[in-house]
């Protein structure tokens, strides 16, 4: 269910998914500042302290956006990180407007914030990092200049909440559980929505746009998606890892509206995914602001 067209600039990965190695954030010096720093052993206390200091210094230098010349691949975050994000309080959660946004959809959507927009998380107190607001900035520099932490590429939407980031982090595959909910409740949108919330831990506004998209996909892509479901077709197909017909149909038809309302998706958040994406579509961001 990863949605949205790709965009390419110096902040998007040039590393490539075919080269990616999963990084369990919190287990290495490179990423130690994002999870738990290693506990020093008594015999090597001074040496370990120096190593920890080096890691923390790297964190200050790197911030949330890795330098363009640094290799980057989508990341996996441990429970230390996503449970911390889950505990935050959003002061301005974004809600879905009344009605189904796919009704009357003609294939064109606006680009809120402009082509280089990012969604920033701005804490009321950056030392405590508990209460925050979601703010759309026209670019990375504007967000950083305002003291915000870049959370994903594109404008903020109903899935930009840090609760939803935690849900994305805690499970690399949201496609299968959401598809399963759609199959179990073919004609009942309320039951499908409840199923999505229960199986993914997404917030209700975020689950709602997934729900609308699921039913829109059924109306446009029923044949290829039923085939993919019953034949257990992989998300990506050889020789070049292109999307299977169901996902491609969903991307082409439902993707633009989904992205308009959701804001966040996996690739724009720099996260590992069960769907392989071109490197040029993966946003270079490290979620070190928990």
């Amino acid at each position: 269910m990863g949605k949205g067209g790709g965009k390419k600039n110096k902040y998007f990965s040039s590393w490539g998914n075919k080269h990616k190695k999963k990084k369990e954030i919190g287990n290495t010096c490179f990423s130690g500042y994002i999870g738990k720093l290693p506990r020093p052993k008594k015999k090597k206390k001074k040496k370990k302290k120096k190593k920890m200091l080096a890691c923390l210094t790297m964190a200050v230098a790197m911030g949330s956006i890795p330098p363009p010349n640094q290799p980057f691949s989508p990341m996996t975050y441990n429970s230390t990180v996503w449970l911390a994000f889950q505990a935050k309080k959003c002061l301005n959660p974004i809600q879905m407007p009344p009605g189904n946004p796919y009704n009357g959809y003609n294939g064109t959507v606006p680009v809120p914030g402009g082509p280089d927009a990012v969604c920033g998380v701005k804490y009321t107190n950056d030392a405590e990092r508990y209460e925050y607001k979601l703010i759309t900035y026209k670019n990375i520099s504007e967000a950083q200049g305002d003291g915000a932490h870049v959370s994903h590429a594109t404008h903020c939407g109903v899935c930009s909440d840090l609760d939803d980031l935690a849900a994305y982090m805690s499970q690399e595959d949201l496609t299968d559980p959401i598809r399963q909910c759609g199959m179990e409740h073919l004609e009942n949108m309320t039951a499908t929505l409840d199923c999505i919330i229960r199986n993914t831990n997404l917030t209700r506004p975020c689950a709602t746009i997934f729900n609308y998209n699921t039913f829109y996909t059924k109306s446009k892509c029923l044949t290829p998606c039923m085939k993919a479901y019953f034949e257990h077709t992989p998300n990506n197909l050889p020789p070049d890892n292109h999307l299977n017909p169901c996902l491609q149909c969903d991307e082409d038809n439902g993707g633009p509206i989904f992205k308009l309302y959701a804001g966040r998706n996996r690739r724009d958040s720099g996260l590992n995914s069960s769907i392989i994406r071109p490197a040029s579509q993966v946003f270079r961001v490290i979620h070190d602001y928990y």
Side-chain angles (χ1 to χ4, degrees):
M1 285 283 175
K3 305 289 187 303
K7 56 187 284 189
K8 187 174 182 180
N9 60 36
K10 65 181 180 178
Y11 295 106
F12 282 75
S13 175
S14 59
W15 192 238
N17 286 26
K18 65 180 180 180
H19 300 295
K20 74 178 182 181
K21 294 181 180 179
K22 288 186 180 180
K23 294 185 180 72
E24 177 68 23
I25 300 305
N27 293 339
T28 66
C29 182
F30 171 77
S31 56
Y33 63 92
I34 300 181
K36 294 182 179 179
L37 289 168
R39 185 172 296 175
K41 294 180 181 179
K42 292 182 179 180
K43 292 183 180 180
K44 299 182 179 180
K45 189 172 183 180
K46 293 183 178 180
K47 185 176 181 181
K48 286 292 184 180
K49 280 188 175 180
K50 289 181 179 179
K51 184 177 181 181
M52 292 166 68
L53 180 60
C55 288
L56 289 170
T57 301
M58 185 187 302
V60 173
M62 290 176 64
S64 295
I65 306 296
N69 60 348
Q70 178 183 300
F72 177 82
S73 57
M75 293 184 171
T76 297
Y77 293 80
N78 64 28
S79 59
T80 300
V81 180
W82 56 262
L83 286 174
F85 278 130
Q86 200 174 60
K88 310 297 183 188
K89 180 180 180 181
C90 184
L91 299 177
N92 63 335
I94 299 172
Q95 303 295 328
M96 283 293 296
N100 188 334
Y102 286 96
N103 291 339
Y105 172 49
N106 62 4
T108 60
V109 296
V111 183
D116 296 319
V118 295
C119 181
V121 168
K122 187 170 183 180
Y123 290 109
T124 54
N125 185 325
D126 205 63
E128 295 179 356
R129 293 189 175 181
Y130 172 56
E131 295 182 335
Y132 67 94
K133 289 185 177 181
L134 296 170
I135 303 174
T136 297
Y137 295 93
K138 65 180 181 181
N139 54 42
I140 291 171
S141 296
E142 184 181 61
Q144 293 176 333
D146 193 38
H149 302 272
V150 176
S151 191
H152 64 80
T154 75
H155 61 283
C156 301
V158 297
C159 295
S160 298
D161 195 296
L162 293 182
D163 271 328
D164 294 310
L165 175 59
Y168 277 61
M169 285 179 169
S170 66
Q171 44 201 327
E172 288 186 13
D173 183 8
L174 291 175
T175 302
D176 283 348
I178 292 174
R179 180 190 295 138
Q180 185 63 38
C181 288
M183 293 298 295
E184 290 178 1
H185 308 284
L186 288 173
E187 302 297 332
N188 191 327
M189 293 191 76
T190 300
T192 302
L193 176 60
D194 291 340
C195 178
I196 291 173
I197 294 172
R198 183 172 61 251
N199 290 354
T200 65
N201 290 321
L202 292 169
T203 61
R204 180 168 289 272
C206 184
T208 298
I209 189 58
F210 271 102
N211 189 33
Y212 284 134
N213 176 260
T214 297
F215 276 81
Y216 188 76
T217 299
K218 289 178 189 177
S219 70
K220 297 292 184 179
C221 312
L222 184 61
T223 299
C225 288
M226 291 292 282
K227 180 178 174 65
Y229 178 80
F230 287 109
E231 294 183 359
H232 304 287
T233 306
N235 291 332
N236 298 88
L237 301 174
D240 56 357
N241 284 325
H242 63 276
L243 297 179
N244 72 36
C246 172
L247 290 177
Q248 190 61 63
C249 181
D250 177 31
E251 187 103 345
D252 294 341
N253 289 278
I257 282 287
F258 178 89
K259 275 290 292 153
L260 176 63
Y261 287 90
R264 182 189 304 282
N265 66 13
R266 303 192 75 90
R267 77 193 95 159
D268 283 344
S269 303
L271 299 176
N272 267 320
S273 174
S274 60
I275 302 173
I276 299 172
R277 297 292 184 176
S280 60
Q281 295 182 14
V282 181
F283 188 59
R284 300 164 57 89
V285 59
I286 298 174
H287 299 284
D288 59 353
Y289 49 95
Y290 63 94

